[in-house]
Amino acid sequence: MTYSLDWTNLQAFIAVAEHGSLSAAVRAVGGSQPTMSRHISALENELGVVLFERTSNGLMLTPTGTLLREHANNMSEAAGKLLLAADGSSETIEGTVRITASESVATYSLPPIITALRVAEPEIDIEMVASDQTENLLLREADIAIRMYRPTQADVFTKKIGEIESGMFASHEYLAKRGIPETEADLFEHDFIGTDRDDAIIKGFRAHGLKIGRNDFPFRCDSQIVNWQLVLAGYGIGFTQLQVGESDPRVRRLFADRTMTKLPIWLTAHSELKTSLRVRRVFDFLAESFGASWKHQDI
C-alpha cells in the first residue's frame, strides 16, 4: 500500500506529542486548537490508527502513537537536513535569517547591530527569537544562535566572539533611602534582586567568599529584563551587563573594583549553512559587531 501523507498533519502530530496537549502545541508552534485537532484527526484517518487517548492530564500517546512518533521525528529531522542542504547551496544573499538570543542580549545588545545590518544589507530580513531556551538549529528553529555557553549540539560551527561582564547596581533613589554599602558586610543589610532557578549570581558571590543562598533574595526572577526594571524602580540592588548599567544615569555601580561575572558569548550556526552567503554574511557581521563592542578572544 502506498501512502500519500500530508506533511502538515505530521507536523501537528509531532507538536502535540512533544507538548502533551493541543493548547500547549498551539502556544509553541502557532495556529489554533480546532485546526490542530483537525490535522490530528486527518492523520489518524490517513493511517487508520488511533494516535492519542484523552486523559485528565491532556493527550496521551497510544502504543501505536508512541511507535509512530519515532518515525515522524526521523522524518522531521530528515526534512530539516534537506532544507539545510538546500539553503547551504544558495548563492543569493536575499532572504531571511532567523536569529535566537537571550532576552537580555536581544533587548540591550542586538538592536543597534541589527539596525546597522539593515543599512549594510537591506535585502536581508531578520527574524528574532528572544528566548533563554535552547533552539534547535538542525530543525531550523533558528539559523544563528547567540548564547552565553558553548553549544554542544552536533554538526554546528561556533565562534567565541566576546565576553559580557556584569556589575552590581542600585538606583540613586534606593541608595538615598538605604545608604551606600561600603563593605561586603554592609551588603547583607540591603535588599537584593536575584534569580529563581539560575544560580549564576550565587556562584559569583561565593567566588568572592560570600556565602549567600536563594532565600537571601527577597525578589527572584530568571528574566534579566524584569530584574533590571526592579532595579530602576528602586526595589534594591541588582545585576546587569556593564554596558547597560554604566550607560544609565538613574543607577550607580557598586564595588566597581570587583569583577562580578564574565560570561562568554558564542555565535553558532549549523555546519550546512557554511556555504549560504546570506547566513554567512549575517554571522560575520554579528561577529565583527560584537567584537567591536567587547574585548574578545577568537578561538
Side-chain angles (χ1 to χ4, degrees):
M1 181 180 296
T2 300
Y3 289 107
S4 178
L5 296 178
D6 188 324
W7 179 239
T8 302
N9 297 338
L10 277 171
Q11 288 178 308
F13 169 56
I14 293 170
V16 175
E18 178 180 355
H19 297 284
S21 70
L22 291 171
S23 58
V26 167
R27 286 195 298 270
V29 303
S32 67
Q33 289 192 43
T35 300
M36 188 76 70
S37 180
R38 285 196 298 271
H39 288 317
I40 297 298
S41 297
L43 182 61
E44 289 179 327
N45 290 333
E46 287 177 334
L47 298 177
V49 298
V50 177
L51 298 171
F52 294 99
E53 293 178 355
R54 293 187 176 275
T55 71
S56 58
N57 295 322
L59 295 178
M60 180 179 296
L61 284 166
T62 64
T64 299
T66 300
L67 174 65
L68 296 184
R69 178 185 182 183
E70 180 179 355
H71 295 296
N73 286 338
N74 290 338
M75 292 175 66
S76 179
E77 183 175 336
K81 289 181 178 179
L82 184 149
L83 292 173
L84 284 168
D87 202 9
S89 300
S90 174
E91 296 182 357
T92 178
I93 199 168
E94 180 180 358
T96 300
V97 175
R98 189 172 178 86
I99 301 172
T100 179
S102 68
E103 285 190 346
S104 61
V105 169
T107 300
Y108 300 123
S109 302
L110 280 178
I113 295 175
I114 298 302
T115 300
L117 175 63
R118 180 63 178 174
V119 174
E121 302 292 352
E123 65 274 30
I124 296 178
D125 295 338
I126 297 296
E127 293 178 349
M128 178 65 63
V129 182
S131 170
D132 293 325
Q133 301 298 316
T134 301
E135 306 298 325
N136 194 322
L137 298 179
L138 176 60
L139 297 182
R140 294 305 299 274
E141 293 173 357
D143 299 309
I144 297 174
I146 304 171
R147 288 294 180 236
M148 277 77 161
Y149 54 85
R150 184 169 191 170
T152 57
Q153 184 179 350
D155 297 325
V156 299
F157 67 100
T158 186
K159 181 179 183 181
K160 183 180 178 183
I161 58 174
E163 290 183 334
I164 290 181
E165 183 177 348
S166 297
M168 189 185 305
F169 294 87
S171 71
H172 297 297
E173 177 186 1
Y174 172 83
L175 295 174
K177 295 177 180 177
R178 301 290 296 272
I180 300 173
E182 301 292 346
T183 67
E184 293 175 345
D186 293 340
L187 291 174
F188 292 97
E189 303 299 322
H190 287 265
D191 291 331
F192 272 90
I193 299 161
T195 47
D196 181 16
R197 290 166 294 183
D198 188 343
D199 62 354
I201 294 176
I202 293 175
K203 290 181 178 178
F205 271 111
R206 291 177 179 175
H208 289 87
L210 297 176
K211 294 182 179 180
I212 192 170
R214 180 176 178 275
N215 292 332
D216 290 309
F217 302 124
F219 179 85
R220 299 181 288 273
C221 179
D222 284 332
S223 171
Q224 295 183 40
I225 311 302
V226 172
N227 289 351
W228 182 239
Q229 293 304 310
L230 264 290
V231 172
L232 297 179
Y235 182 95
I237 299 173
F239 307 84
T240 192
Q241 304 171 27
L242 290 188
Q243 70 178 78
V244 175
E246 292 185 336
S247 64
D248 196 317
R250 294 171 291 180
V251 299
R252 171 173 175 165
R253 184 182 177 188
L254 305 175
F255 298 93
D257 59 331
R258 292 291 189 98
T259 299
M260 295 302 297
T261 303
K262 286 187 177 181
L263 295 175
I265 303 297
W266 294 91
L267 196 59
T268 305
H270 196 277
S271 58
E272 291 283 357
L273 295 176
K274 284 183 178 179
T275 56
S276 169
L277 296 181
R278 179 172 63 258
V279 175
R280 185 79 234 187
R281 173 63 176 133
V282 175
F283 187 98
D284 291 341
F285 193 94
L286 291 173
E288 180 180 354
S289 299
F290 275 109
S293 301
W294 297 315
K295 293 180 180 179
H296 68 287
Q297 177 182 354
D298 293 336
I299 60 171

